Amino acid sequence: MRVLHILNHVREIGNGIVNVAVDLACLQAKNGHEVAVASGGGEYEQLLASYGVKHLQLNQARKPVNLILAAARYRQIIKQFQPDIVHAHMMTGVVLAKVLKANSHYNLVSTVHNEFQRSAILMGLADRVIAVSKAVSESMAKRGIPQHKLRVISNGTLGSVRNSNIQEYEPVELQHPAIVTVAGMYQRKGVSELIDAFAQIAADFPEANLYIVGNGPDRQSFAEQAQSTPCNHRIHFAGFQPQPQRYLLAADIFVLASHRDPSPLVIPEAREAGCAIIASDVDGIPEALDHGAAGILFPAKNSQALADALANLLQNPDLLSQWQDQAQQNLQRLTVGRVNQETLAVYAELMPQDLFIYG
């Protein structure tokens, strides 16, 4: 089978959509399929090549002249590669693949991550629409995507080709107890509420430190908020880290305070690292935490509830240890191997069975 994945880029910047697609492309090639990725390029090109995945340059920048060039380039790619499956992971790719299909015989699959974006409805143009959590699937159905198109494949990142085994990472040296978040610096990630919650408990736990790992457009406003607190010297901005596992392994508590989050890859990574986890009860987060069995859920945008959850763990070492143990239970469903097999099964629905090879 010939599979073409379409992405805006393959840069190593912590973009979960890119990471999922790179994992799939590499595993599918390893399973014996002919796989290519069309994108604007980036650091993952070398990894893709090491697995035998072709990278085909496709600049999808949304400017009128460039989109005309992108359309011509896309037609050229389809003619040369002749895919059986085109798997689009972002909105521009699914539109190109649908509008320019013409007489091509490929089947179109899309994966919906950020369904809260208005443009996500366009992912429904595909023949099959993969939702990364049940919450995403339910939302897309309410927005009019037919049920017969929708398939749920929850994100999993353990065993990723992008990462080493968890035991191979050297933890960074942090001041303990260490509270860590790994997130893009966007308002929807709830970093502001986390800083506020930490400020509320800081005086009661003078040894505690907060480490904020990630980058993004709102980092400066978060830094200014942190600076205005009495505990500013205990709030550390680490920026983007290509190996966030080193921070997760060193953390006592991991927090993800997102307002919206369809199926965050960092939750499986924090679970594997053995963090006690506190996360907002929204979108796909409860599913990633076994609906509260593997981590503590709190109402999104509620810094007081987050502060209470942090204080409860910090003042109860036995409870902290218990949640660290519970995070590491039932990890087998969070692997990239499971995601790949379920994705191949979706492809199989669209392919003549005598042409399909399971990896």
Side-chain angles (χ1 to χ4, degrees), residues 92-154:
T92 307
V94 80
V95 173
L96 279 175
K98 183 67 174 182
V99 172
L100 301 177
K101 183 176 180 180
N103 296 322
S104 301
H105 299 293
Y106 61 75
N107 295 287
L108 179 57
V109 176
S110 66
T111 295
V112 183
H113 295 263
N114 297 335
E115 50 74 31
F116 51 83
Q117 294 176 340
R118 234 182 293 180
S119 60
I121 193 68
L122 293 171
M123 304 304 276
L125 293 170
D127 303 306
R128 289 291 184 275
V129 180
I130 296 172
V132 296
S133 65
K134 290 179 182 178
V136 169
S137 178
E138 291 168 1
S139 176
M140 293 300 288
K142 289 177 182 177
R143 296 175 69 180
I145 305 303
Q147 286 285 356
H148 76 269
K149 284 188 177 186
L150 285 164
R151 300 293 181 271
V152 177
I153 302 180
S154 301

Side-chain angles (χ1 to χ4, degrees), residues 180-185 211-214 244 247-248 254-256 266 269:
V180 171
T181 191
V182 178
M185 295 294 101
Y211 296 87
I212 299 172
V213 179
Y247 279 82
L248 297 174
F254 173 79
V255 177
L256 188 64
V266 71
E269 293 173 348

Side-chain angles (χ1 to χ4, degrees), residues 20 30 52 58 63 68 73 90 175 185 199-200 206 221 245 282 298 326 328 337 356:
V20 168
K30 186 178 179 180
L58 179 64
K63 298 177 182 178
I68 294 172
R73 175 59 178 152
M90 296 172 177
Q175 300 179 65
M185 295 294 101
Q200 292 182 49
S221 66
Q245 293 86 352
V282 68
F298 74 96
Q326 287 180 215
Q328 294 182 294
F356 192 84

Side-chain angles (χ1 to χ4, degrees), residues 224-295:
E224 291 172 359
Q225 178 188 355
Q227 189 60 36
S228 69
T229 68
C231 57
N232 59 72
H233 59 291
R234 291 156 55 197
I235 302 176
H236 315 276
F237 286 82
F240 170 70
Q241 296 291 325
Q243 296 181 338
Q245 293 86 352
R246 298 185 64 213
Y247 279 82
L248 297 174
L249 285 167
D252 298 293
I253 301 170
F254 173 79
V255 177
L256 188 64
S258 303
H259 304 167
R260 303 299 307 269
D261 225 325
S263 187
L265 296 182
V266 71
I267 291 289
E269 293 173 348
R271 290 182 60 177
E272 184 182 41
C275 303
I277 299 172
I278 303 173
S280 46
D281 188 5
V282 68
D283 296 337
I285 292 177
E287 296 170 47
L289 286 173
D290 299 343
H291 299 281

